[in-house]
Amino acid sequence: MRKVDIIALLFFSYFFVLNAKAEEHVPRVIKLSPEKITQHNVDLPLNQFRALEILAAKNVSSHQVPRPYQMPNTINRNELFGSDLNENGIRDDYERMLLKSYQRSEYVAMGILAAERWDKLLRLLHSQDNIKTRFQALQLFNDNIAINQCYYSLQKVDKNLISPVLSYFNNDQLLDAKYQAELLLLDIIGNNQASFTFHQQPCERFADFAKSAKKGKIAAL
């Protein structure tokens, strides 16, 4: 795959983000008796038991989220990773969003697993030590593609599902950092750009992320 094609892929990612931003302002119809989402009408990559295991391991619950909900003015908002007062490895504002926005534990766990890959992407801007080989860079890039693909496919079935990507990259600084980190990945990947893949079943990557989390690792890199 030529580098110009990869740059086009990045712009496709931004188109997905801008599209989601536009949908935020579209009024949503609240059903009095919404259809229950089950494995029969949406193919989730995690079952409820596995999702609850991940939440317990990460100490994610409504009782664990730091108060107050409004971030104090003393917080340095210029920091890419933001505040993590309960020290569970998840940015506080993003953690609160997951618990507030998603009623299903599976969706909360998926948001946590996705954030681990996004964290790893942003850490590239501070140090490339966590990406030591072209293969690792390629896998991280492909994982981020799979995350977008998975949410896009799930949204076709569960119309109320909103991807958490905008809540993680929730300002211009973070969006620019994402773009710069992706370009850095492309530089590391170099001539291996022909190995970029679009997963036929992208949600299966979340199941792989969960297996890695169970072993106490961040992504299979």
Side-chain angles (χ1 to χ4, degrees), residues 100-135:
K100 180 180 179 181
S101 302
Y102 301 120
Q103 301 302 313
R104 296 177 61 85
S105 58
E106 297 95 321
Y107 285 154
V108 178
M110 287 175 61
I112 292 170
L113 295 173
E116 288 183 343
R117 277 78 210 160
W118 296 331
D119 284 348
K120 197 173 187 71
L121 182 65
L122 292 182
R123 281 197 293 272
L124 275 176
L125 298 179
H126 297 289
S127 171
Q128 295 183 34
D129 289 344
N130 60 328
I131 298 292
K132 299 181 183 298
T133 68
R134 289 181 177 181
F135 174 78

Side-chain angles (χ1 to χ4, degrees), residues 198-215:
F198 286 91
H199 296 274
Q200 295 300 312
Q201 295 180 305
C203 289
E204 287 186 357
R205 286 301 294 148
F206 278 95
D208 295 334
F209 299 159
K211 290 177 183 177
S212 296
K214 189 172 184 178
K215 296 176 182 178

Side-chain angles (χ1 to χ4, degrees), residues 95 103 124 144 169 182 202 206:
E95 184 178 354
Q103 301 302 313
L124 275 176
N144 279 277
F169 299 102
E182 287 171 337
F206 278 95

Side-chain angles (χ1 to χ4, degrees), residues 37-46 150 153-154 157 201 203:
I37 302 298
T38 69
Q39 293 291 343
H40 299 292
N41 55 26
V42 60
D43 188 17
L44 296 178
L46 307 174
C150 179
S153 64
L154 290 177
V157 181
Q201 295 180 305
C203 289

